[in-house]
Amino acid sequence: MNITQYKHHSDFTSEPASLQMLGAPSKLLRVGFILNDHFSMQAFTAAVDALVTANLVSSTELYSHQTISHASNPVTSDLGIEVSANITLDQIPLEGEDALDILIICGGFRSSLDELPPLSDTLRAADKQGLTLGGIWNGAIHLAHAGLLNGFGCAAHPDNHAVMQEHFSQVTLSANALVIEDKRVSCATPASALQMMLKLIEQAQGKDLVSGIREILSCDRVAENGELMLFQPGDNPAFPKALRHLLELMRSNFEEPLHLDELAAFVSMSRRQIERMFQTYLDSTPCRYYLELRITYARRLLQQSNDSIINISVACGFLSTSHFCHCFKKFFGVSPSESRQQSNS
């Protein structure tokens, strides 16, 4: 199944006044989507939909897009649907009239997070040519592997934050689902993939065109400013401000966990007040909840990285590997090594 072929509607003549064909610059912008195995189909199609709709709204074709595979063709998405790629990595046009302007890596929940040397080489070559580089879901991780996010902010799916924080200290991981900085763009979810492309279209073509696209796609107006926040455990606006501050402190201090007295000092509350607050809103004790956060973080590192169990236990604040293994098995019912084997099977 090749879903990358689209046709313009020949009878697109009855749109409301706000969607009448808009004038457009003559330059055609070319976008390439590198499809990693198990890429998110929903996020990919959301991004492409924005480009296709931009062409429908405009009086001329503004965008072309190509799908790119690593080597094999077709590429299997997270839904098991195969998508035919137009070209492979070594065929990406980086110079000349047909050169790409934007290159985006499409990841997904089960996409590999390991560095892929041919991809890193391609991304560095694209950067030298001045292309705008981006990542969808966890695609930004490959930009980080190539050293192209150092000093930049980026967005990634929450499940991949642990790997990003442990391995790319020079990258600023954002709590937003969408980040656009200079020639770097990244998003973490299908909804933010659409918003990311709309922002890029707005930068190149203006707000009028994007308003027309939004009207067709019925985009969520609340998200127009791009400040889509990633949900984290405990990020409930109904929680007291002090509790949300404590949860953020816990998430930011895994390697050297803070003692309850230290946490209490940060929010100017007593231990007993904090304990009551956790029991009321989270049905847990502060220590138990903190342990759950660290153990869950450890499981993500086990499943998504090749770090040793010893290093992971240290990164998650455990004084000994044996204590870590004991807590992990008590919490998940399997040992750390068994958990890693299950994720690789």
Side-chain angles (χ1 to χ4, degrees):
M1 176 180 178
N2 186 340
I3 69 163
T4 63
Q5 305 301 317
Y6 296 89
K7 294 182 179 179
H8 286 202
H9 300 296
S10 59
D11 60 347
F12 192 73
T13 57
S14 59
E15 64 274 23
S18 62
L19 295 183
Q20 293 294 334
M21 295 299 186
L22 301 172
S26 58
K27 176 173 170 52
L28 180 72
L29 294 177
R30 295 176 170 83
V31 184
F33 293 94
I34 298 174
L35 305 180
N36 288 348
D37 286 334
H38 310 300
F39 67 94
S40 168
M41 176 69 83
Q42 186 180 6
F44 164 66
T45 54
V48 173
D49 203 4
L51 300 179
V52 172
T53 307
N55 288 338
L56 290 175
V57 173
S58 173
S59 59
T60 59
E61 187 177 18
L62 300 176
Y63 292 93
S64 68
H65 72 274
Q66 291 182 303
T67 50
I68 304 163
S69 67
H70 289 263
S72 60
N73 195 14
V75 185
T76 304
S77 73
D78 59 344
L79 301 180
I81 297 173
E82 294 185 339
V83 176
S84 296
N86 303 116
I87 57 175
T88 56
L89 283 179
D90 58 351
Q91 297 172 325
I92 294 177
L94 297 179
E95 298 181 87
E97 292 184 358
D98 296 328
L100 295 179
D101 299 287
I102 301 171
L103 186 60
I104 296 173
I105 309 106
C106 300
F109 185 74
R110 293 187 294 130
S111 295
S112 173
L113 304 182
D114 295 335
E115 181 172 11
L116 306 171
L119 177 56
S120 292
D121 292 341
T122 298
L123 294 173
R124 294 187 191 104
D127 179 56
K128 288 181 180 179
Q129 295 300 323
L131 273 68
T132 294
L133 303 176
I136 290 175
W137 197 288
N138 48 29
I141 287 179
H142 296 285
L143 290 173
H145 277 307
L148 299 176
L149 280 183
N150 293 346
F152 287 92
C154 83
H157 193 274
D159 282 333
N160 305 123
H161 279 203
V163 170
M164 290 290 291
Q165 290 168 338
E166 289 300 317
H167 294 280
F168 304 107
S169 60
Q170 292 179 283
V171 179
T172 303
L173 185 61
S174 176
N176 289 342
L178 165 61
V179 175
I180 297 180
E181 292 186 7
D182 194 19
K183 287 184 174 289
R184 299 292 183 270
V185 297
S186 53
C187 63
T189 63
S192 58
L194 174 59
Q195 298 300 328
M196 181 178 79
M197 298 312 298
L198 290 177
K199 286 291 185 183
L200 291 177
I201 293 171
E202 182 178 316
Q203 288 179 357
Q205 319 295 350
K207 291 184 178 181
D208 287 343
L209 182 73
V210 171
S211 294
I213 298 171
R214 287 186 182 280
E215 194 162 338
I216 290 178
L217 300 180
S218 298
C219 298
D220 186 357
R221 303 285 175 171
V222 175
E224 285 187 18
N225 64 0
E227 295 300 316
L228 301 174
M229 299 303 294
L230 294 173
F231 180 81
Q232 295 281 359
D235 282 343
N236 188 329
F239 286 176
K241 183 177 180 180
L243 177 56
R244 285 183 278 129
H245 187 196
L246 287 170
L247 297 179
E248 180 59 32
L249 284 170
M250 288 179 174
R251 287 197 295 264
S252 301
N253 292 276
F254 284 159
E255 188 167 349
E256 297 182 9
L258 299 171
H259 295 293
L260 185 53
D261 288 336
E262 293 176 297
L263 291 169
F266 275 115
V267 294
S268 301
M269 296 176 67
S270 68
R271 291 171 56 107
R272 182 58 184 153
Q273 286 175 314
I274 291 177
E275 289 168 349
R276 282 199 300 266
M277 189 165 55
F278 268 77
Q279 193 63 49
T280 299
Y281 290 96
L282 298 170
D283 194 27
S284 181
T285 66
C287 292
R288 172 68 177 175
Y289 193 86
Y290 206 170
L291 176 62
E292 290 178 1
L293 288 178
R294 291 159 53 210
I295 286 289
T296 302
Y297 184 78
R299 183 173 65 169
R300 288 175 177 167
L301 290 177
L302 282 165
Q303 295 175 342
Q304 300 176 13
S305 76
N306 295 319
D307 285 353
S308 68
I309 292 175
I310 293 176
N311 287 343
I312 290 174
S313 68
V314 171
C316 296
F318 291 89
L319 297 178
S320 70
T321 305
S322 60
H323 182 222
F324 167 62
C325 293
H326 172 77
C327 293
F328 192 96
K329 187 167 186 177
K330 186 175 180 180
F331 194 79
F332 291 115
V334 295
S335 68
S337 58
E338 290 170 335
S339 177
R340 172 167 277 173
Q341 289 171 0
Q342 289 174 357
S343 67
N344 293 331
S345 60

